[in-house]
Amino acid sequence: GTTDGAGHCLCATAKHGELELCSVVLGCRSSDGRFEASKQLLSHGFGKYCFYTAEVIAAEPLKVIHGTQEEVTLQAEIPEGIVISRDDLQNLRTEIPEMEEVQAPVEAGQPLAQVKIFAGDKEICSYDLTAAESVEELNFGKCLQLLWQAAALLPLRKVCF
């Protein structure tokens, strides 16, 4: 739009692949100037930036201490994607924490570790590795319950003396 106070203004969007950008131009002296300025801003953005989607990390199951299961499966909650500079894209590295074990109980969806993605020394993205299922704590009551269930499955034998 155009007003005497604001001059010629334009808000525009453009999409190239997965990257969608928005330009806002305020106070141009001419109508053609606002379109040219917006075109330059969008061209600069598409030339310097890209849409990055983190790769899925295949994490090994995690050992559970004092649990009703020996291990828990991990799942990644990967972000949909981020806009990063094309220069940063060349210097990406992923840090996956060393995980040996977790103490029961474990709830489904519980964050157990965090994967971090860096461009050089700058952290640009992180996401959680979470428990795919719940694992109950193996306590005396649970052991007694499992023993009772196992005993119920045994065939009964008639013993004669």
Side-chain angles (χ1 to χ4, degrees), residues 1 33 43 54 57 66-67 80 94 96 98 108 111 117 132 138 150 158 161:
S43 292
I57 300 297
H66 303 285
E80 290 184 23
T94 302
I96 305 167
E98 290 290 325
I117 301 171
L138 187 60
K158 197 172 202 179
F161 292 99

Side-chain angles (χ1 to χ4, degrees), residues 104-133:
V106 178
E107 296 296 322
Q110 176 181 336
L112 298 173
Q114 190 173 64
V115 176
K116 295 181 179 184
I117 301 171
F118 293 85
D121 293 331
K122 179 178 69 174
E123 182 181 330
I124 60 166
C125 178
S126 65
Y127 60 91
D128 289 331
L129 293 177
T130 62
E133 67 271 347

Side-chain angles (χ1 to χ4, degrees), residues 1 4 13 30 36 40 43 68 71 80 97 100 104 119 121 124 159:
D4 290 339
T13 62
S30 71
E36 184 58 35
Q40 288 177 5
S43 292
T68 55
E71 58 187 25
E80 290 184 23
E100 294 180 15
D121 293 331
I124 60 166
V159 178

